Amino acid sequence: MNWFAIGNIADIPLRGARCVKTPQGKIAVFRTAENEVFAIEDHCPHKGGPLSQGIVHAKAVTCPLHNWVISLETGKALGADEGAVKTIALKNDGGALFIALESLMVAAE
Amino acid sequence: MTEKLVIIGNGMAPGRMLEHLLEKAPGQYAVTIFNAEPRVNYDRIMLSPVLSGEKDYEEIIIHGDGWYIKHGITLYKGHRIVAIDRDARTVTSDHGVTESYDKLVIATGSVPFILPVPGKDLPGVITYRDLDDVQAMLLAAQSREKAVVIGGGLLGLEAAAGLAGRGMDVTVLHVMPTLMDRQLDPAAGYLLQKELEGRGIKVLCKANTRAIVGNGKVEGIELEDGRIIPATLVVMAVGIRPSVGLAREAGLAINRGIVVDHGMQTSDGSIWALGECAEVGGMVYGLVAPLYEMARVAASHLAGEQGASFVHSDTPTKLKVTGIELFSLGDFADGDDREEIVLRDASAGVYKRLVLKGNKIIGTVLYGETADGAWFNDLKKKQTDISEMRETLIFGQAYQGGAPLDPMAAVAALPDDAEICGCNGVCKGRIVSTITEKGLTALDEVRAHTKASASCGSCTGLVEQLMTLTLGDSYNPAAVQPMCRCTDLGHDDVRRLIKAKGLKTIPAVMQELEWKTSCGCAKCRPALNYYLVCDWPDDYADDYQSRFINERVHANIQKDGTYSVVPRMWGGVTNSGELRAIADVVDKFEIPLVKVTGGQRIDLLGIEKEDLPAVWADLGKAGFISGQAYAKGLRTVKTCVGSDWCRFGTQDSTGLGIRIEKFMWGSWTPAKLKLAVSGCPRNCAEATCKDIGVICVDSGFEIHFAGAAGLDIKGTEVLGLVKSEDEALEHIVALTQMYREQARYLERIYKWAKRIGLDEIRRQIIGDAGKRKAYYDRFVFSQKFAQVDPWSERVSGKDKHEFLPMASIGYGQAAE
Ligand SMILES: Cc1cc2nc3c(=O)[nH]c(=O)nc-3n(C[C@H](O)[C@H](O)[C@H](O)COP(=O)(O)OP(=O)(O)OC[C@H]3O[C@@H](n4cnc5c(N)ncnc54)[C@H](O)[C@@H]3O)c2cc1C
Ligand code: SF4
Ligand code: SF4
Ligand code: FES
């Protein structure tokens, strides 16, 4: 596991999200109204919609394509839908944010 | 490997089968459906409420277009399959489309039986089977003339009640001595007849039709005894026949229906049949419950599971006519080995009869009071020995054990496996446990998760009682539909309270109106944001995080996460400079698709989000502003070339369209708003299916509104005729403002107009000059804050974070 610096919490709007580009695809980093930060793959389990573009509410985001609601904590679809997206470990060090990418997948280069 | 599954017919049986199949074996099949009816899958059994006006067509759609898109299913609407080639394994439609299959499902349903009498083909003679029939009846009913319904069964009586409710003078002809003789005994049939007669419907039993008479169109019916009954509309509802012609020609085994085994397979190993066209165990069926059982079995076999086998069960019959309570189940003929228990209460119009054999219930007829239907059904199904409660049985469950129970207690006392929804076979335990597990609070949610009361709806009362039982007083069925799960208040209450309490931010609304969640959800936040933008144009700071992505980044998100961009072209008019600028942008950013839209604009598709500000910067230099093709707001004003060019033109329709668009652009509305102006009644700008339209005439401008041409198609209503362009603008603007202030978020103007009433809108906008002026002034005021081009704002750096990634982790870093 390697930690990568991605920026500061203030770069993300409250109840909003930003993307981080990685060789494995985009990761969405969310900031909730309560100032918690979560990272998940930017790829809806339904049809791959960009979750970073959805509306953020409580600890969940609603996918912009067909309105699935995804939990930011577990990556699982909430409500009647079923599916899950990978969550990414995130460290908040006094506002400086780091995400963990598996060393294997990064080192494979 | 995906196999090809082709389905003929898109009725209720295959619809349900697909739901099961997608759940069991998603992705196993590439599915193609051919449907002779030009529409999606809807709840056929709810056609009667559409006829009576209690429901709209859109409320009875089971799978909308989006569902087919979501599941990658190809649906050919309006294609009737005319041939099956079993050797080549293909089917061919009447429009010449040929499709090959690995597996084929035939679900062609039934066709109404037509009495072979003279005159049966006259215009004005219709059957009762699909939405077209309902629309034909509604059209005929506008005349308020005389209608005859042939057939006093379930369908005939629902048609008769609907037509009578629409103001027609209706006579029902029935050959048998009493109505609904297949479902009711004579006593109950008699009570039913009295009730219908009380509602002004004439009923003639033992009436044999000899001919339908008329010259070029229906004028009446001639009975065997020579009587003539005048009518301008004849509805034939004398029964249905399984639709088997296609299968017969293909050489499949046919009896009354297409013969299938208990796994729903036909005599050809790659062809299945289900629904009303299928015959299983020597029986054909005409009610949805057994068809849904077929759907379950067929799906399971198609998914590769072997065991599933069709099980017969009796289905209760209910008449869906509001105010008539009727329940019939099983066998109720007289016989030596049978006993019966009857209860009559003439003054209350109640009749109940239980038919018993060996101390077990085998049949039930209830009229006037049907609350115990579910309980009797349960006793019958389980073959319960009733000798212990014989004395009180007929009084119903409430009387068992001495003291009468209230209806809630009766529902509470039902065992967990008692069937509540007959159509979908859902039992009490399943409903209660789903409500608790999933935390459901609204009837619609219970329908979505369990399917209970999602078909004919006659068990809605029971389901609501179960909800009250499970959720306690927090569930109040009479309450308005809440905005979403974050609040108990409906949209109208929230709008009223925002004004009344002077609430000016989303947190203030949530605090004061006691929102149940900390920061709302994707349903309520955009709605609240709109209400606040509309009500407090000068004070409210738009909350971008509560806007849907398209409105947040001012472009339209596409399925692959790229965006499309539509520059504004006033009234659909452009010039060489603009086109050149667009061409340059397309080349520079390698934009993959350029397309002309239905609203006379140019759409640039496939732009990466990061490129958006640069694209806008270049478009902006050529004078373009955002076309707001993404907005719940004013989209486009489409125009024809009008009197400047067209030899028929009566007014300058192009000029007026541009003037309206320049006046109204930038305004937010509850749902999208599309306008059009045509220069004469030839209507080349298609103004009569727009949210608001203008038809120019010699004497002035005819203003139309409340049209639709999307999922629904609806011609506009006329607001009124005005003489000058200035007046036209004032009326259109005032109407828009009234809609902005009153409609619910996402409610298109035609739905709002239907709810408020056309006359009320005309009264305020046409009839009351003071009101009109006030609406107009409020719109003009709010435009001061709304008419800011969002593209140029972003080009100058606003919301930069939206368009840039937060960080990029590249291979270089990874190597560290
Ligand atoms: C007014 C009304 C009220 C009803 N009320 C009730 C009720 O209260 N309770 C109840 O249980 N049942 C009720 N029913 C019956 C119920 O609606 C039917 O049993 C059920 O819809 C049959 O489903 P199906 O899929 O077999 O056929 P359908 O729903 O009839 O669908 C068949 C479809 O196949 C299409 N088709 C036919 N031939 C071809 C072809 N060659 N190529 C392509 N497409 C083709 C047809 O256009 C049709 O759309 C009612 C029916 C009506 C008409
Ligand atoms: S552009 Fe409109 S009609 Fe075409 S697929 Fe999309 S939603 Fe359907
Ligand atoms: S609507 Fe009338 S005026 Fe306009 S282009 Fe058509 S024919 Fe000409
Ligand atoms: S892709 Fe996310 S809901 Fe469909």
Side-chain angles (χ1 to χ4, degrees):
Chain A
M1 211 61 110
N2 283 356
W3 291 99
F4 292 89
I6 55 169
N8 195 278
I9 187 166
D11 299 339
I12 313 172
L14 279 171
R15 296 169 304 152
R18 299 284 302 271
C19 284
V20 174
K21 287 187 170 177
T22 78
Q24 274 74 36
K26 282 188 187 160
I27 289 169
V29 186
F30 296 86
R31 179 180 177 198
T32 68
E34 315 282 323
N35 246 324
E36 301 140 306
V37 193
F38 298 97
I40 61 178
E41 278 182 341
D42 195 13
H43 191 89
C44 177
H46 176 223
K47 290 218 167 160
L51 294 170
S52 57
Q53 316 290 296
I55 290 182
V56 181
H57 44 94
K59 290 178 198 169
V61 60
T62 296
C63 177
L65 293 196
H66 319 95
N67 297 328
W68 281 30
V69 180
I70 310 292
S71 157
L72 299 176
E73 282 176 305
T74 64
K76 291 208 177 88
L78 302 173
D81 302 310
E82 277 178 31
V85 54
K86 219 166 107 189
T87 55
I88 312 281
L90 183 142
K91 210 162 55 180
N92 180 354
D93 193 355
L97 303 181
F98 301 85
I99 55 170
L101 296 181
E102 278 171 42
S103 35
L104 247 188
M105 79 179 190
V106 202
E109 222 272 338
Chain B
M1 207 196 69
T2 52
E3 290 180 277
K4 278 186 164 178
L5 174 66
V6 171
I7 303 174
I8 308 177
N10 194 30
M12 302 186 66
R16 176 57 61 90
M17 181 195 81
L18 279 173
E19 285 177 13
H20 289 305
L21 189 60
L22 291 169
E23 204 177 293
K24 281 180 190 290
Q28 183 177 341
Y29 291 100
V31 182
T32 305
I33 309 174
F34 290 88
N35 195 30
E37 271 189 81
R39 43 187 76 91
V40 291
N41 184 20
Y42 63 93
D43 192 346
R44 192 175 304 287
I45 65 188
M46 293 310 263
L47 284 174
S48 296
V50 174
L51 178 64
S52 66
E54 286 157 70
K55 285 215 182 293
D56 283 335
Y57 170 61
E58 69 251 32
E59 290 175 70
I60 69 164
I61 288 176
I62 300 177
H63 300 142
D65 284 299
W67 188 86
Y68 296 93
I69 296 167
K70 175 169 157 192
H71 292 103
I73 294 172
T74 310
L75 170 62
Y76 286 95
K77 298 180 200 169
H79 280 245
R80 176 178 296 280
I81 292 298
V82 289
I84 303 173
D85 183 337
R86 288 168 50 201
D87 297 327
R89 293 206 183 179
T90 58
V91 298
T92 302
S93 83
D94 54 354
H95 294 296
V97 173
T98 297
E99 185 73 38
S100 65
Y101 63 83
D102 297 310
K103 290 187 177 146
L104 179 67
V105 170
I106 305 181
T108 44
S110 298
V111 283
F113 182 67
I114 312 268
L115 288 177
V117 293
K120 65 180 170 41
D121 297 321
L122 283 173
V125 181
I126 59 177
T127 56
Y128 188 15
R129 181 73 196 170
D130 58 24
L131 186 67
D132 297 323
D133 297 328
V134 172
Q135 278 162 351
M137 283 190 241
L138 289 178
L139 202 65
Q142 287 177 357
S143 70
R144 306 273 186 278
E145 290 187 30
K146 293 188 189 337
V148 165
V149 175
I150 309 181
L154 190 96
L155 284 191
L157 296 183
E158 288 187 6
L163 290 171
R166 295 279 182 172
M168 285 196 100
D169 175 357
V170 182
T171 306
V172 175
L173 306 179
H174 190 54
V175 266
M176 302 303 283
T178 55
L179 294 175
M180 287 185 74
D181 51 281
R182 301 213 348 244
Q183 294 90 7
L184 296 181
D185 56 11
Y190 171 79
L191 284 173
L192 178 58
Q193 178 169 347
K194 282 275 155 290
E195 167 69 33
L196 292 171
E197 285 170 350
R199 296 176 178 215
I201 297 173
K202 295 182 207 89
V203 179
L204 296 179
C205 288
K206 293 194 256 182
N208 243 319
T209 305
R210 180 193 288 163
I212 300 172
V213 292
N215 196 352
K217 60 176 182 6
V218 168
E219 285 163 14
I221 294 251
E222 184 185 341
L223 297 179
E224 282 299 350
D225 61 13
R227 265 185 295 174
I228 303 260
I229 300 165
T232 52
L233 172 75
V234 171
V235 180
M236 264 208 219
V238 292
I240 53 174
R241 296 285 175 273
S243 171
V244 298
L246 184 66
R248 174 178 292 129
E249 275 166 36
L252 296 175
I254 306 290
N255 191 17
R256 267 205 297 164
I258 305 171
V259 179
V260 294
D261 64 14
H262 279 79
M264 309 316 294
Q265 198 168 57
T266 66
S267 53
D268 177 326
S270 19
I271 305 184
W272 279 259
L274 79 164
E276 287 185 344
C277 63
E279 174 177 329
V280 52
M283 303 268 287
V284 291
Y285 294 89
L287 290 171
V288 291
L291 308 188
Y292 284 168
E293 165 75 1
M294 296 182 186
R296 182 188 68 80
V297 173
S300 146
H301 282 268
L302 286 172
E305 299 164 8
Q306 289 309 322
S309 169
F310 179 83
V311 186
H312 166 87
S313 66
D314 282 339
T315 310
T317 308
K318 296 159 198 157
L319 186 69
K320 298 184 301 302
V321 174
T322 306
I324 299 187
E325 298 285 327
L326 175 164
F327 177 97
S328 136
L329 173 74
D331 184 352
F332 43 83
D334 294 326
D336 285 346
D337 56 346
R338 296 163 180 208
E339 303 167 79
E340 57 174 22
I341 307 176
V342 175
L343 172 81
R344 282 177 210 269
D345 179 345
S347 59
V350 170
Y351 169 86
K352 299 183 181 184
R353 174 161 174 241
L354 295 174
V355 183
L356 307 176
K357 189 168 159 181
N359 285 327
K360 287 167 189 159
I361 297 180
I362 61 165
T364 306
V365 179
L366 305 177
Y367 184 89
E369 203 183 273
T370 56
D372 284 308
W375 185 58
F376 290 132
N377 188 10
D378 195 52
L379 294 177
K380 169 174 176 294
K381 227 182 185 161
K382 292 195 188 132
Q383 294 284 294
T384 310
D385 187 323
I386 52 87
S387 29
E388 294 282 286
M389 44 185 165
R390 193 174 191 105
E391 299 300 307
T392 52
L393 184 63
I394 191 85
F395 299 110
Q397 188 183 18
Y399 284 84
Q400 307 310 317
L405 294 168
D406 68 49
M408 281 301 292
V411 176
L414 282 175
D416 269 356
D417 58 353
E419 186 173 272
I420 300 292
C421 174
C423 293
N424 292 292
V426 191
C427 65
K428 175 182 161 187
R430 176 100 194 281
I431 299 174
V432 171
S433 65
T434 315
I435 294 174
T436 345
E437 276 162 28
K438 311 247 162 163
L440 309 182
T441 53
L443 183 62
D444 280 349
E445 295 173 345
V446 175
R447 285 186 177 145
H449 283 272
T450 65
K451 294 257 185 294
S453 86
S455 292
C456 82
S458 43
C459 62
T460 306
L462 282 175
V463 174
E464 288 190 326
Q465 283 172 350
L466 280 178
M467 295 186 68
T468 315
L469 207 61
T470 322
L471 298 171
D473 290 340
S474 66
Y475 178 68
N476 173 8
V480 285
Q481 178 75 25
M483 267 176 83
C484 64
R485 281 165 67 174
C486 305
T487 175
D488 295 328
L489 297 169
H491 283 268
D492 301 335
D493 286 334
V494 170
R495 286 210 84 162
R496 198 171 39 74
L497 289 166
I498 285 176
K499 298 227 63 143
K501 294 183 173 237
L503 306 174
K504 296 192 178 176
T505 63
I506 290 182
V509 174
M510 291 184 175
Q511 185 61 35
E512 288 293 314
L513 306 185
E514 298 179 356
W515 240 242
K516 291 185 277 186
T517 50
S518 61
C519 74
C521 70
K523 273 192 188 150
C524 58
R525 286 234 311 269
L528 293 179
N529 190 56
Y530 166 72
Y531 295 155
L532 294 168
V533 165
C534 174
D535 289 344
W536 317 111
D538 48 345
D539 288 350
Y540 178 63
D542 203 326
D543 176 18
Y544 264 69
Q545 296 310 132
S546 295
R547 283 193 179 268
F548 181 64
I549 183 66
N550 288 355
E551 293 186 351
R552 206 181 324 139
V553 303
H554 298 278
N556 297 53
I557 194 165
Q558 303 296 322
K559 63 183 260 194
D560 61 353
T562 65
Y563 288 81
S564 82
V565 156
V566 180
R568 198 168 280 289
M569 276 177 184
W570 308 101
V573 175
T574 184
N575 58 46
S576 61
E578 288 185 350
L579 291 174
R580 205 168 281 122
I582 288 180
D584 288 342
V585 167
V586 170
D587 287 345
K588 176 163 163 194
F589 295 92
E590 296 177 348
I591 292 174
L593 182 69
V594 182
K595 180 154 189 339
V596 175
T597 71
Q600 300 181 333
R601 303 298 139 104
I602 291 180
D603 193 358
L604 310 175
L605 293 110
I607 303 174
E608 294 297 334
K609 193 179 184 191
E610 290 158 47
D611 288 338
L612 288 172
V615 167
W616 296 335
D618 283 7
L619 290 171
K621 280 180 211 142
F624 282 119
I625 63 168
S626 168
Q628 270 133 346
Y630 47 79
K632 307 283 175 249
L634 180 97
R635 293 263 176 107
T636 49
V637 182
K638 188 171 170 174
T639 66
C640 76
V641 293
S643 56
D644 273 3
W645 296 91
C646 176
R647 64 205 161 104
F648 300 114
T650 61
Q651 310 277 358
D652 176 13
S653 49
T654 325
L656 176 59
I658 293 174
R659 183 170 166 201
I660 295 172
E661 190 164 346
K662 292 216 156 148
F663 199 89
M664 291 179 62
W665 74 270
S667 56
W668 300 104
T669 45
K672 61 186 168 187
L673 192 69
K674 297 181 174 181
L675 277 60
V677 185
S678 285
C680 82
R682 285 170 191 74
N683 192 15
C684 296
E686 294 159 348
T688 52
C689 59
K690 290 287 182 283
D691 295 303
I692 304 178
V694 178
I695 303 283
C696 302
V697 289
D698 284 322
S699 57
F701 304 84
E702 197 176 72
I703 302 176
H704 288 240
F705 71 115
L711 280 176
D712 285 316
I713 304 182
K714 182 181 169 303
T716 46
E717 310 286 343
V718 177
L719 182 69
L721 179 77
V722 297
K723 291 211 164 48
S724 68
E725 274 196 10
D726 288 350
E727 286 172 286
L729 185 71
E730 181 177 310
H731 281 75
I732 290 171
V733 164
L735 170 65
T736 306
Q737 182 66 14
M738 182 177 175
Y739 165 59
R740 295 181 72 220
E741 291 175 10
Q742 297 189 356
R744 301 170 186 163
Y745 189 61
L746 299 185
E747 186 174 48
R748 291 290 289 268
I749 203 167
Y750 70 98
K751 294 202 171 159
W752 164 73
K754 184 169 169 200
R755 186 161 61 78
I756 301 289
L758 302 172
D759 287 338
E760 178 58 22
I761 296 171
R762 290 190 191 107
R763 195 180 64 74
Q764 296 200 20
I765 302 298
I766 299 280
D768 188 337
K771 269 223 150 77
R772 179 171 69 236
K773 186 72 179 36
Y775 280 127
Y776 178 86
D777 289 343
R778 286 200 289 277
F779 184 88
V780 171
F781 178 70
S782 87
Q783 282 299 77
K784 285 208 285 196
F785 309 93
Q787 283 195 329
V788 181
D789 175 32
W791 287 0
S792 61
E793 274 188 311
R794 273 146 197 84
V795 169
S796 353
K798 187 172 183 212
D799 289 340
K800 218 183 207 147
H801 63 82
E802 267 294 354
F803 304 95
L804 293 173
M806 184 179 190
S808 292
I809 299 172
Y811 289 107
Q813 258 168 298
E816 283 163 29

